[in-house]
Amino acid sequence: MEIAHVCAVFKKADPQEVRNYRPISLLSVVSKVLEKILHKYMFNFYRDSDFVSPFQSGCIPKYSTVNQLTSLALDEGKEVRAVFCDIPKAFDRVWHECLLFKLRQSGIDGRLLAWLRDYLCDRRQRVVLSGATSDIVSIAAGVPQGSILGLHLFLVYINDIITDIHSPIRLFADDTTLYIEVDDPQRTADSINDDLAKIQSWANSWLVTFNPLKTESLLFSHKTNPPAHPNLYFNDTPIQEVSSHKHFGCLL
């Protein structure tokens, strides 16, 4: 049975809040060496079969957040409306049976699939902090953060989120961005809202939780006084519209 020691790495905001820490699994060197070998062959298999979405930039060689920015073009003075979707604790939301199903669908089978099932299931962990340790608890879902395979397995899990999405979409690991050039504000809003409903349906099917309160809409525009744009909704919750002025420089 796999047991990981977990180091709590502070992310942001209030350090007194447990949810503001990222659980990083401290795994053995032998385990990481084996994972690195498997990762190499699995990645090559997915690359050669064109399985990984071309819109995914997370942990893909020669890709970075720059690829996301270059997709947003403000040609001919057009506005671009974008939505940045948030999955809280994304790596902890991966349900093992769903992931194993997707691995099988992607072409992984036989002894490798059996090994991955053993790797994922019946895992246990405890927190190690300043020499003290917590009780050991079982893990019902998630991929180990701090592992070699964890992010790779998450990319497999989220890979089909793009299915039947009509708006341009970009992924960076768990970050999902929709964007569209604005010809007519109402038609643009209707199109994005339709795609957001499809993403919510995908999330319901694969037991992923998006946080509509942290999902944000952003309008990129050269215009000093851009026209009003209709609201966007995620799971019937209005999406927060944030100012583009402080973000616009990242596109220049």
Side-chain angles (χ1 to χ4, degrees), residues 185-201:
Q186 185 62 58
R187 285 201 301 269
T188 297
D190 291 343
S191 179
I192 294 178
N193 280 326
D194 182 60
D195 286 333
L196 288 172
K198 293 175 183 176
I199 288 177
Q200 183 59 53
S201 177

Side-chain angles (χ1 to χ4, degrees), residues 199-216:
I199 288 177
Q200 183 59 53
S201 177
W202 176 92
N204 293 338
S205 297
W206 299 107
L207 305 178
V208 174
T209 302
F210 280 87
N211 186 350
L213 299 179
K214 288 189 177 181
T215 295
E216 296 181 340

Side-chain angles (χ1 to χ4, degrees), residues 49-60:
S49 62
D50 293 325
F51 171 76
V52 177
S53 167
F55 306 120
Q56 175 65 260
S57 299
C59 290
I60 304 297

